[in-house]
Amino acid sequence: ADDPVFAPYVSRLRYAFSSGLAEAVDSGPPIEPAPDEPDRLGWHALVLWDIDGWRAEGCAKFPVLCQVLRDVLPSTCRPWAQAGQEVLEVFGLPPGVSLDLHNDQTNARVSILMTISGGVGGWLEVAGERRWFGGDGEVLIFNVGFDHSAGNAGTHFRWVVSLAVSHPEYE
C-alpha cells in the first residue's frame, strides 16, 4: 500500500474513508447479491465506474468515492487490452464466506482493495500467501493475473472498495 506508483489512488481512497465512507454500509447491505455469479454465492458487487463511464446508481450510494476518484480515472490514455481493465466497484461478503481460487486472466491491471467495514476478519490470498486486512480503512494491492481468493472470517459483513487500474508497465 506504500508503493509510490499507487499513492495517488490510495490517498484518495483513504480520504474517502475518513470522510465517512463506512456510513454507506452501516445501515445494512447497500447492494444486492450478484445474481449472475452462481460460483460466488453471497458475493455482493456494485460498479461505480468502468469502460462505460460513471454509474448513477453506484455514485448515488457512494458519492464520496466517485467525487474523489473522478479526476484520476481512467489511469491511462492508451486503449485498454480488455473491457474490465479498469473498474471501480464495491464488494461485499457475509461472515464465513470465501471465494474460490481464481484469476482474472490478465496482467494488464492491478487491484487496490480498501476495507470499508468488517476489515478485521477480511483476508486476501494471492499466489498461496494470505494477508489479513487487519481493520477498516486498510489497503492491499495485488496483480489479478495471479491465482487469488478472498474471504471473511469475521462476524460482520465485509465491505471493500475495489479499484482496478492499469498495470504500471502497461504504459
Side-chain angles (χ1 to χ4, degrees), residues 93-139:
L93 273 180
V97 172
S98 62
L99 300 180
D100 291 339
L101 190 66
H102 64 284
N103 67 62
D104 295 3
Q105 301 177 343
T106 183
N107 285 318
R109 74 178 195 194
V110 173
S111 280
I112 304 166
L113 303 179
M114 182 188 71
T115 52
I116 299 172
S117 68
V120 171
W123 55 266
L124 174 69
E125 186 170 312
V126 180
E129 182 179 338
R130 183 170 290 187
R131 299 261 173 115
W132 294 84
F133 282 100
D136 298 340
E138 297 299 321
V139 175

Side-chain angles (χ1 to χ4, degrees), residues 34-100:
D36 57 344
E37 302 201 38
D39 59 329
R40 296 180 178 191
L41 295 177
W43 179 252
H44 291 60
L46 179 68
V47 176
L48 282 69
W49 176 86
D50 65 5
I51 196 168
D52 294 323
W54 293 96
R55 304 286 184 88
E57 178 189 4
C59 287
K61 291 183 180 185
F62 298 95
V64 69
L65 279 174
C66 297
Q67 179 185 1
V68 301
L69 293 168
R70 194 170 295 274
D71 66 334
V72 294
L73 295 175
S75 73
T76 182
C77 58
R78 291 192 55 197
W80 294 349
Q82 66 181 64
Q85 184 167 321
E86 296 196 356
V87 62
L88 173 62
E89 299 173 282
V90 173
F91 295 143
L93 273 180
V97 172
S98 62
L99 300 180
D100 291 339

